[in-house]
Amino acid sequence: MAIHEKTLIEPERILQHDKLVVDGVDVSGHWNTMITPRTVVDYDDDFEATIQKYTGGENVHRCWQCGSCTNSCTMYAQNTDFNPRYWIYVTRLGLKDEIIRDKEIIWQCVSCNKCTNICPKDVRPEGVMKALAHWLEEEGITDKTPSTIFDEEFTEQIYARGRIEDGDVMKNFFKKTGQPLMQPWLVEMIKRMVRYMPVAHLMRMGTNTVFKPRTKSWGRTGEVLQEYVREQKEAAHG
Amino acid sequence: MAKVAYYPGCALEGSGGPYDRSTRAIVKALGLEMENLKDWNCCGAMEVKNVHPMLQTYLSARNLAIATEQMGLDAVMAPCNGCYHNLKKAEFELATSEDALNTVKDLAKKSDDPEYTGDVRTLHLLEWLMEELGPEGVKAKVKNTLKGIKIANYYGCMYTRPRQIFPEKDQGPGSESSYKPHFMDDLLAAAGAENVDFPLKTACCGGAHTLSDADTSTQLVLNLLQAAEDSGAEVIATECPTCHSGLEMHQVRAEKEFGIKTGVKILYFTQLLGLALGLSPRKLGIHENVSDSMDFLKQRGVA
């Protein structure tokens, strides 16, 4: 598969006319498409350094634009607008508006690690995708994405008990994202799951939702970890 | 024989229950020994590293330290790809970064947790079975061959990627390959299965976004199910509870919401191996799977 490029001409800069007269000459027909010129002045010299302070973005400066990340990307295969190579490129140039343009899809990285596996420069593009998504959220450009809400729910359970309870993660995630718990396909799945399930297993699952699984020796570990993360984030983002 | 601690992780004690039961059953039937890892904590799965990477490193270091410091064992065996990946990643980080090691030591002291010394190995269940028995050892214990059932072996992302954290893979003959893993193929072939040429062995099931971006996950799962069928597979064998649940959930979702029905069955490799060892479907938790394969297995004379 070839390494695909992304066009640098945004759709809104392409002007098409039914009839076009330039300097008194009628150029309608094949010559009716014009591109609005663009001078890049809106770059932010510090943007690369900003992203490096986010979890996962540390190595973004190492990229030499070989395109292996995009070429191997699971999400690029689903949607060619999902382009890690391009986002790393514009991050390094400080073109924040280009990142903001794609704000609705950056968070969709599935963390399959194909990019990080293949990257010859240890950029860890998967981490850069997460860093960009978190930057967009923290700057207030996007709301918290479902992905972040899921991560935070998961982490809170670990801080509290050392373990998670998957039914609880699901229930709280749907609640926090305002989705109904009883989605038709989930109901169908549960129906199929309990069809032949032994009673003992059902009881165990039920008990888990009331008496949450817990690491008995967890002690102060959760608090210590929470404090560590708070300090690290304060040091990085103020 | 390595002294092995069994780390089930949250998934095997929850939605991946059948994987836990079938793992314990085959380990016993194969004459292997393991001890439950004492009072383990969650590895952080794919989520916690997004909050802070050190959090994930610490969670895994704590589990490894329990195995060595409190239990005096050599290795931690995880059947879950997520747990296995995170333990391996922690080993790698702590062996290559003094800063990370010092931070983990500091956090352990503050938390009154056992200290990580690095004197421990992480094994996936597949690796442990290959190390202790290999295909020949398994073959010697087969009572009820899988009779040429056509299987697509699915390894997922975290068993092989990124390859930097798996130094023992890609070491030539006998070792596991990160690009074209074959341990599950080898073990199931020894049990009489016919492994199909499945091109999406290490493709992504979208597990990280099973709920947060369900449409993407359903599409990725459909890629797997349809490619498996195109390869002539009757069953997809899984070795990760997240992949397994994802395949089952999105197979149902594709059918229910998009009207796309796929017929391929989804079973843990431990369930298939267990049937070959003569264990009952109930003991292997086959009834607890969402993907209903009982009629198929009966028809093929293995259940």
Side-chain angles (χ1 to χ4, degrees), chain B:
Chain B
M1 195 181 278
K3 291 201 286 180
V4 167
Y6 172 49
Y7 175 37
C10 306
L12 274 82
E13 294 225 328
S15 54
Y19 195 21
D20 178 63
R21 278 179 276 300
S22 51
T23 295
R24 290 179 190 276
I26 66 159
V27 163
K28 200 170 164 199
L30 289 167
L32 297 175
E33 282 173 28
M34 60 186 190
E35 280 182 56
N36 294 328
L37 185 67
K38 276 186 193 155
D39 207 31
W40 49 268
N41 53 266
C42 172
C43 73
M46 281 167 283
E47 285 73 20
V48 164
K49 71 163 178 29
N50 299 333
V51 172
H52 198 281
M54 180 48 69
L55 212 47
Q56 186 183 61
T57 306
Y58 186 76
L59 292 173
S60 290
R62 188 181 185 277
N63 283 324
L64 291 168
I66 291 172
T68 51
E69 302 308 297
Q70 296 186 342
M71 300 177 71
L73 302 175
D74 318 317
V76 176
M77 185 279 285
C80 164
N81 278 354
C83 298
Y84 166 73
H85 173 102
N86 285 346
L87 292 170
K88 294 294 283 189
K89 197 157 131 217
E91 274 186 60
F92 173 78
E93 298 278 340
L94 298 173
T96 51
S97 160
E98 208 169 318
D99 269 1
L101 188 60
N102 287 336
T103 306
V104 161
K105 284 187 173 162
D106 187 43
L107 291 170
K109 210 171 284 167
K110 283 185 185 154
S111 311
D112 204 17
D113 284 336
E115 194 176 302
Y116 176 80
T117 56
D119 206 11
V120 63
R121 264 192 324 148
T122 301
L123 291 166
H124 190 278
L125 173 60
L126 282 171
E127 293 172 327
W128 189 42
L129 297 180
M130 286 297 276
E131 189 172 301
E132 295 295 347
L133 297 154
E136 290 308 313
V138 167
K139 205 172 190 171
K141 306 227 177 210
V142 166
K143 292 186 178 142
N144 183 18
T145 151
L146 295 176
K147 294 177 184 149
I149 290 179
K150 295 188 178 66
I151 296 179
N153 292 281
Y154 177 55
Y155 297 80
C157 303
M158 305 190 95
Y159 178 67
T160 60
R161 285 193 296 270
R163 68 183 186 284
Q164 295 90 313
I165 65 172
F166 308 108
E168 65 280 29
K169 286 181 186 165
D170 304 318
Q171 297 299 314
S175 75
E176 181 63 302
S177 157
S178 65
Y179 277 103
K180 210 174 176 191
H182 54 85
F183 278 6
M184 189 162 38
D185 293 64
D186 297 349
L187 293 169
L188 291 177
E194 184 189 320
N195 296 312
V196 305
D197 189 9
F198 182 46
L200 301 187
K201 275 176 195 293
T202 66
C204 178
C205 69
H209 284 327
T210 289
L211 296 176
S212 46
D213 186 8
D215 285 350
T216 295
S217 294
T218 301
Q219 184 52 56
L220 295 177
V221 165
L222 271 173
N223 291 350
L224 291 163
L225 297 171
Q226 288 168 338
E229 287 191 336
D230 289 348
S231 310
E234 297 161 297
V235 175
I236 294 186
T238 59
E239 44 98 343
C240 167
T242 307
C243 299
H244 186 97
S245 317
L247 285 168
E248 288 190 323
M249 279 170 82
H250 292 281
Q251 188 178 39
V252 173
R253 186 167 186 260
E255 190 181 321
K256 202 72 192 157
E257 287 193 15
F258 306 107
I260 304 170
K261 204 169 172 183
T262 45
V264 64
K265 311 290 179 196
I266 303 154
L267 286 157
Y268 287 107
F269 88 97
T270 44
Q271 294 178 319
L272 289 156
L273 216 48
L275 290 172
L277 297 171
L279 301 169
S280 76
R282 199 158 285 274
K283 195 157 197 172
L284 297 164
I286 291 177
H287 295 88
E288 299 168 39
N289 291 348
V290 175
S291 170
D292 186 6
S293 47
M294 276 314 290
D295 286 347
F296 165 76
L297 293 169
K298 276 184 193 153
Q299 206 179 28
R300 300 299 299 267
V302 292

Side-chain angles (χ1 to χ4, degrees), chain A residues 49-69:
Chain A
T50 303
I51 294 305
Q52 283 176 313
K53 287 182 186 161
Y54 280 83
T55 287
E58 299 84 357
N59 285 5
V60 68
H61 65 287
R62 299 176 59 103
C63 177
W64 58 12
Q65 286 291 305
C66 73
S68 299
C69 49

